[in-house]
Amino acid sequence: MINVSFEQIQSLIEIQDLFEPVKQSFIDYNSSRLIGIPIHLLHFPNNSDAHIKTAAIDGYPYFSIKVATMFPNNLKQNKSPNNGSIFLFDANTGELKAILDDKGTLTDLRTAAAGGIITNVVASQQSNAISVIGTGIQAYHQVLALSKLRAITSLVIYGRNKNNAILLKNKLEKKLQNISITIANSVEEAVKTTTIILTTTSSKTPLIKGEWLQKGQHITAVGADDTFKKELDIDCFKKADMVFVDSLDLNSKYGEYSKALKSLPQLKNKTIEFGKAFSDNTYSGDSNKITIAKLVGLGTQDLAAATLVMNKLA
């Protein structure tokens, strides 16, 4: 059994390394190779939580258990709010083979990779004006991931804390060239002035209203991944022409899609799982449609990311 340090993982993996493994993990999720991906959530005071995600796919050398924690009050002690580890077990013997002390970074990167690849497939190829709602690490990674897949001409940032929005703007300007980055004064302004909207918050009340959406717009929502969080109101799903989800089963239990589905049972009729979209290769951006991609996060993504680390170490 080996221990893989945070520093090793940082030196081995970049977002673009995960595009193909994560894409394949969605295809595997939709196949007969899937053995299981149970999820368990723990909620603590002060908006803290722990997500425990497992994954097993026939043909993979490992199966995984990932524990990812988010404790916002850590910031008051100059500690990272995000932590976690991935445990890899031999798929043939059940022996513990590796502990990846990634401190949540693989979760951040694989989420960004997932958001980037589905956004690039679904959003109109003419869409280059992006907005990001949220100013944390996932906002940063989502923008970077998408920038590696398509040219971004302009970016609008909205955050409740304007200082954090300025910090994110400065950070992204060091990474992205020839792009106009501005800060919006409201969520509505950010939504109405762009064609691709990325939401990366832990909000418990909807931030985006369906009445703001216009034909040709696409939303990728990655923040609402449990039973309490919501970023999009029900009218967003009602107005959307197509909705893409990483897992229909899990989105029916977690996030704002689950709430929308209770009010709109017919929502399933225009919902497609990422794995089908990727394997069919029949979905491309349409400037006459409103589309939504909704992610709650799959253990298969963690398994793909951790397996890639092991392959790079070999």
Side-chain angles (χ1 to χ4, degrees):
M1 196 276 290
I2 64 170
N3 287 288
V4 186
S5 71
F6 173 69
E7 291 75 18
Q8 284 178 290
I9 294 168
Q10 276 199 314
S11 68
L12 289 169
I13 301 295
E14 296 184 10
I15 290 175
Q16 59 265 33
D17 299 326
L18 290 166
F19 288 153
E20 284 305 316
V22 167
K23 179 179 178 180
Q24 186 60 47
S25 77
F26 287 124
I27 295 171
D28 290 337
Y29 172 79
N30 276 112
S31 74
S32 60
R33 298 176 64 199
L34 181 71
I35 296 172
I37 54 159
I39 288 180
H40 300 281
L41 304 177
L42 299 175
H43 295 280
F44 304 99
N46 301 316
N47 291 317
S48 301
D49 59 50
H51 289 211
I52 303 164
K53 296 185 177 181
T54 64
I57 298 172
D58 186 32
Y60 273 56
Y62 311 103
F63 64 90
S64 62
I65 299 175
K66 191 273 294 285
V67 181
T69 64
M70 203 277 285
F71 280 63
N73 281 355
N74 284 4
L75 290 170
K76 297 176 182 178
Q77 306 173 51
N78 291 319
K79 294 181 179 179
S80 171
N82 300 309
N83 280 286
S85 297
I86 300 176
F87 301 82
L88 287 180
F89 297 82
D90 188 297
N92 294 312
T93 67
E95 297 173 285
L96 180 61
K97 286 295 185 182
I99 300 175
L100 284 68
D101 181 25
D102 76 312
K103 302 188 188 305
T105 192
L106 284 177
T107 298
D108 289 335
L109 294 177
R110 61 79 156 157
T111 302
I117 55 179
I118 193 65
T119 300
N120 194 49
V121 166
V122 176
S124 169
Q125 291 303 308
Q126 286 71 48
S127 294
N128 303 108
I130 316 297
S131 62
V132 61
I133 313 301
T135 58
I137 190 66
Q138 192 53 226
Y140 173 74
H141 283 314
Q142 284 288 334
V143 173
L144 280 190
L146 188 56
S147 74
K148 296 179 184 301
L149 294 166
R150 67 167 65 197
I152 298 175
T153 56
S154 63
L155 171 68
V156 177
I157 298 170
Y158 174 77
R160 289 177 300 174
N161 185 313
K162 193 159 188 176
N163 287 334
N164 289 341
I166 292 170
L167 288 173
L168 178 60
K169 178 178 183 289
N170 294 339
K171 191 175 179 182
L172 285 168
E173 283 177 336
K174 293 176 182 177
K175 284 284 187 179
L176 303 176
Q177 305 297 319
N178 302 317
I179 176 173
S180 167
I181 304 180
T182 57
I183 296 173
N185 293 313
S186 67
V187 177
E188 183 176 358
E189 178 188 338
V191 170
K192 288 185 173 181
T193 56
T194 56
T195 47
I196 294 177
I197 302 106
L198 311 174
T199 66
T200 65
T201 76
S202 57
S203 178
K204 293 183 179 178
T205 57
L207 299 173
I208 296 181
K209 296 181 180 181
E211 65 188 59
W212 298 340
L213 301 180
Q214 302 295 323
K215 293 294 184 182
Q217 285 187 303
H218 170 80
I219 301 173
T220 292
V222 305
D225 58 358
D226 67 16
T227 50
F228 302 107
K229 298 173 187 173
K230 307 177 192 73
E231 296 184 300
L232 317 179
D233 73 5
I234 289 177
D235 285 341
C236 289
F237 294 99
K238 187 182 295 185
K239 199 167 182 180
D241 295 289
M242 298 178 75
V243 179
F244 296 79
V245 295
D246 47 5
S247 163
L248 180 56
D249 177 53
L250 295 179
N251 275 278
S252 298
K253 299 173 183 175
Y254 306 115
E256 64 271 78
Y257 181 94
S258 66
K259 309 299 187 297
L261 189 60
K262 290 176 183 177
S263 300
L264 306 167
Q266 67 274 23
L267 182 56
K268 278 188 180 180
N269 297 334
K270 59 180 180 182
T271 300
I272 300 156
E273 287 184 319
F274 292 176
K276 179 173 175 54
F278 289 139
S279 57
D280 284 2
N281 289 317
T282 56
Y283 302 97
S284 59
D286 190 329
S287 59
N288 292 314
K289 291 183 178 179
I290 295 172
T291 53
I292 295 173
K294 183 70 199 72
L295 294 78
V296 297
L298 306 184
T300 54
Q301 296 168 265
D302 302 315
L303 177 57
T307 300
L308 179 63
V309 171
M310 297 299 286
N311 291 342
K312 283 181 173 286
L313 284 171

